[in-house]
Structures are given as structure tokens and as C-alpha cells.
Amino acid sequence: MSADSSLPNSSLPAPRFQLTPQEWRAKLDPEEYAVLREAATERPFVGEYTDTKTPGVYTCKACDAELFRSTEKFDSHCGWPSFFDPANSDAVILKPDDSMGMRRVEVVCANCHSHLGHVFEGEGYATPTDQRYCINSIALKHAPESSDSK
């Protein structure tokens, strides 16, 4: 995994897209704000994209940056959308998360530093990376592939 647990959070590059907390609250509804800006987690099996199979691109709900593609989405049956790789290696930042009494790796949008979910590895899924990017549906927008882009 590419997260360097020796780096303090302050060493993250500055987000390219920045708003004040008041601007974020005006842009996002309260549930979106809780997940994207305060690192909350939506309940499992309730998200809009948990079972979506429609081809397309998943972007950040906060800033519209491309994060994942449907070609990397897989059925993990964990209750949240799962991807085995981001669309671009620079699309997300992985950072240590020691909350909840355990060591995890948080996934944040590289463009705006919004919380997306967590990445896990070594769970035995038959994917090319053996990683599961477990992402909150509420943190994403899905743009279906148009018929003229095929």
C-alpha cells in the first residue's frame, strides 16, 4: 500500500480546490458534509452506488475530480461501493487513520482532501491489486458512459 504511516497529516500537499467551512456547508447537504468534511461513514447497504453496475466514471461529490471508473469496481458485498484501484494514481491520497482503536488507511480526494472512505488489502478478493477501496456512496457522483463515447 502506498500510504506512508511515518508522514504526519500536515505533510499532505495543499488541496487544489479549497473552500471555507461555511462554503462547504452551503455546497453540501448535512449528511454529505459529515462524510466528506468530517470523515463520518454512511450506513452499509444504503448508498446509491453500492450495487451500481452502469459503466461510467465516479467523481468526488465535493469537487467533481475523477476518482474511480466502473471498470475497477467490483462486488465485495461489504455494504459500500468497492474499487480495486483509483482511476489515476494521483486521484486519491492515502493517509494513516488510527481512529476507532485500529490502524486503517484513509482515502481522501487529492483535489479537495474530502474523506472518501478507507482502503484495505490482503482480504483475498480476486482483483488485480488485492486492494479494496471501500468508498462511501454519498462521497461520489456517477456519470454514466454515454453511447457516443464507446
Side-chain angles (χ1 to χ4, degrees):
M1 207 164 301
S2 59
D4 184 344
S5 60
S6 66
L7 293 175
N9 290 343
S10 62
S11 69
L12 292 177
R16 294 179 290 271
F17 183 87
Q18 297 184 52
L19 296 176
T20 67
Q22 296 80 9
E23 290 169 324
W24 281 121
R25 286 187 187 281
K27 179 178 177 61
L28 304 169
D29 72 31
E31 285 182 81
E32 294 166 348
Y33 186 89
V35 170
L36 289 158
R37 304 310 304 166
E38 298 176 331
T41 300
E42 70 186 338
R43 291 185 340 269
F45 301 104
V46 300
E48 179 178 4
Y49 304 123
T50 302
D51 299 316
T52 301
K53 299 196 185 322
T54 306
V57 174
Y58 292 87
T59 60
C60 178
K61 173 85 58 89
C63 72
D64 297 321
E66 182 177 326
L67 300 171
F68 300 96
R69 294 181 174 268
S70 58
T71 51
E72 284 74 41
K73 190 171 188 290
F74 70 101
D75 291 327
S76 68
H77 309 288
C78 70
W80 294 274
S82 295
F83 303 86
F84 60 81
D85 209 16
N88 173 324
S89 62
D90 294 329
V92 300
I93 295 171
L94 304 181
K95 60 185 228 184
D97 176 2
D98 294 323
S99 67
M100 310 280 290
M102 65 183 102
R103 169 59 51 111
R104 297 182 297 172
V105 178
E106 181 183 11
V107 181
V108 298
C109 174
N111 195 50
C112 69
H113 289 197
S114 287
H115 171 79
L116 303 171
H118 290 86
V119 62
F120 304 93
E121 66 182 1
E123 296 178 314
Y125 290 105
T127 62
T129 64
D130 194 28
Q131 293 181 327
R132 176 174 59 94
Y133 286 78
C134 184
I135 306 298
N136 291 286
S137 279
I138 201 167
L140 302 172
K141 287 192 293 190
H142 179 257
E145 194 175 85
S146 64
S147 58
D148 58 339
S149 66
K150 292 182 183 177

